């Protein structure tokens, strides 16, 4: 949502809804995992030339669908969509970023 801050503020309906859902339904373990992984995902996406397209995709296909599901009371769909999206973005963006950092550290040591 930070990417879309010109359209939305910190108290917009989407963030308020997602925070409520997070606090009521997301497990402690999933929240901890998210707060460790999300900054790495964002850092990796920010480094890409086409990051606007990626953030637009995330908003249109994850945020909007989760918010709509939450408002309909379909918490299971929202939770699964959220969790699967985080895992997908972790594989696509965070893992390569961390692997690259790890390899650089190893090369410096060796």
């Amino acid at each position: 949502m930070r990417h879309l801050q010109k359209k939305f503020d910190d108290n917009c309906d989407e963030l308020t809804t997602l925070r409520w859902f997070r606090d009521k339904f997301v497990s402690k373990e999933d929240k901890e995992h998210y707060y460790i992984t999300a900054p790495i995902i964002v850092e990796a996406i920010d480094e890409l030339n086409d990051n606007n397209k990626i953030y637009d995709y995330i908003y249109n296909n994850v945020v909007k669908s989760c918010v709509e599901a939450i408002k309909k009371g379909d918490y299971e769909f929202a939770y699964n969509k959220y969790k699967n999206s985080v895992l997908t973005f972790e594989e696509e963006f965070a893992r390569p970023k961390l692997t690259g950092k790890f390899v650089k550290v190893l090369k410096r040591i060796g």
Side-chain angles (χ1 to χ4, degrees):
M1 292 300 289
R2 183 179 49 156
H3 168 74
L4 299 169
Q5 65 187 349
K6 290 180 183 175
K7 295 180 186 178
F8 304 98
D9 67 23
D10 195 49
N11 293 312
C12 66
D13 183 55
E14 288 88 345
L15 287 176
T16 301
T17 301
L18 292 170
R19 287 180 184 128
W20 174 85
F21 181 75
R22 175 198 63 202
D23 295 344
K24 299 287 184 189
F25 295 97
V26 178
S27 73
K28 178 182 176 189
E29 295 80 16
D30 284 345
K31 285 188 263 190
E32 289 172 354
H33 181 83
Y34 172 81
Y35 286 115
I36 291 168
T37 307
I40 301 164
I41 294 169
V42 170
E43 181 182 346
I45 293 172
D46 283 347
E47 292 174 357
L48 300 174
N49 290 332
D50 61 347
N51 63 26
N52 287 333
K53 290 180 187 176
I54 296 166
Y55 286 124
D56 288 342
Y57 173 85
I58 292 170
Y59 176 76
N60 290 318
N61 294 284
V62 179
V63 173
K64 282 176 70 174
S65 63
C66 285
V67 169
E68 289 170 10
I70 292 165
K71 288 183 175 192
K72 291 178 185 175
D74 193 351
Y75 305 134
E76 184 176 357
F77 173 86
Y79 197 97
N80 289 330
K81 180 75 168 180
Y82 150 78
K83 191 164 184 171
N84 290 332
S85 296
V86 169
L87 294 174
T88 298
F89 298 144
E90 181 179 359
E91 277 298 312
E92 189 172 345
F93 301 110
R95 188 171 309 276
K97 178 91 175 152
L98 291 174
T99 301
K101 285 183 178 184
F102 183 65
V103 169
K104 288 177 188 174
V105 169
L106 285 177
K107 285 181 181 178
R108 279 186 272 176
I109 293 172

